[in-house]
Amino acid sequence: MKKHLRLLAAQLFAMALVITVFSSPAHADTTSDAQLAAEWQTAWDTHKFYDRTPPLPDSGRSRATSSISITINAPAAKVFPAYSNIDNHVGMHSFLKRVVTHKDWFKYGKRHINFTAVEEIPYEGAIVTSNTHAQQRINADDLYYETDTWSLPGVVTHQKIVFTKLAGGKTKVTEYLTFDADTSLIDFVVANGVASHEVTQAGLKQAIESGSI
């Protein structure tokens, strides 16, 4: 049922993406890494997706929040580096095809990573490419990381993922998710976003517990 709902939400999102962005037929990813890096910088400078200020009243945009948790049968020393490595998210669900890292550095004790996640979403026999531009900030000492993202059509997310040590060598992972989008899109942006994160959580749990990552 979750898989069906996620596919439906993704298709709705793809439809909105097509209507909002494309005047030509949707197509698969052909963008070079250098082009993605330029797109990332434009999104950062223009849309300031690092800004966590709520949308203004009457702006035509809305904010919604959610949180999801999962318990992984492995210690935090193993879970945190595996889960926080965005490259390990590729293959956890069918749409995420690749991650392109643009910059990776340390500042104030946190690791900062600028990257673009490339998703290919099927819609009416075609493929819609969605590029999500992001900055991740990893605080390994305090077992959490934050990620801010921007993608068409004007969807911003702010994420904080917290890792809690449990008895028996287990780890609880809680994702606090904030979505900003046009008011007309916010409901299925949230549905698609939450469902996507749930699928990724389940995939990472299985991979970490099995030792494949």
Side-chain angles (χ1 to χ4, degrees):
M1 177 61 72
K2 283 186 178 180
K3 183 177 180 180
H4 174 74
L5 290 175
R6 180 177 179 277
L7 180 59
L8 176 60
Q11 289 172 334
L12 287 171
F13 184 80
M15 179 175 65
L17 187 63
V18 170
I19 292 171
T20 306
V21 181
F22 294 104
S23 58
S24 58
H27 53 279
D29 173 42
T30 57
T31 310
S32 70
D33 291 1
Q35 287 174 303
L36 287 175
E39 288 182 12
W40 186 99
Q41 192 63 56
T42 297
W44 181 265
D45 294 340
T46 303
H47 303 288
K48 297 178 174 58
F49 56 87
Y50 51 83
D51 185 356
R52 299 196 170 204
T53 305
L56 294 173
D58 302 320
S59 66
R61 293 177 62 81
S62 297
R63 169 168 288 186
T65 61
S66 186
S67 65
I68 56 174
S69 296
I70 200 166
T71 298
I72 299 176
N73 189 21
K78 178 180 179 181
V79 173
F80 184 82
Y83 200 107
S84 61
N85 183 348
I86 191 63
D87 289 327
N88 287 336
H89 293 215
V90 178
M92 293 298 106
H93 64 80
S94 59
F95 301 144
L96 180 59
K97 297 303 180 183
R98 65 187 180 112
V99 172
V100 178
T101 298
H102 308 303
K103 186 177 180 180
D104 187 340
W105 78 104
F106 280 87
K107 181 179 180 181
Y108 304 131
K110 294 182 181 180
R111 183 183 178 191
H112 292 60
I113 305 172
N114 297 344
F115 68 90
T116 299
V118 179
E119 285 192 319
E120 294 183 354
I121 304 169
Y123 175 68
E124 293 191 348
I127 296 294
V128 178
T129 299
S130 176
N131 297 327
T132 299
H133 304 298
Q135 183 180 89
Q136 181 186 33
R137 297 173 299 278
I138 302 174
N139 189 326
D141 291 340
D142 294 330
L143 294 179
Y144 75 88
Y145 69 87
E146 297 173 301
T147 307
D148 299 315
T149 78
W150 181 89
S151 62
L152 289 169
V155 177
V156 174
T157 74
H158 306 295
Q159 309 164 24
K160 184 172 183 179
I161 291 78
V162 178
F163 298 75
T164 305
K165 298 177 181 178
L166 302 178
K170 298 180 180 181
T171 306
K172 181 180 180 181
V173 183
T174 302
E175 300 194 14
Y176 299 95
L177 309 172
T178 300
F179 303 91
D180 293 346
D182 287 353
T183 300
S184 62
L185 300 177
I186 191 67
D187 288 343
F188 64 75
V189 164
V190 173
N192 180 62
V194 171
S196 177
H197 280 257
E198 287 177 334
V199 171
T200 300
Q201 272 195 341
L204 288 168
K205 170 184 169 69
Q206 190 278 330
I208 292 170
E209 291 180 347
S210 69
S212 62
I213 62 172

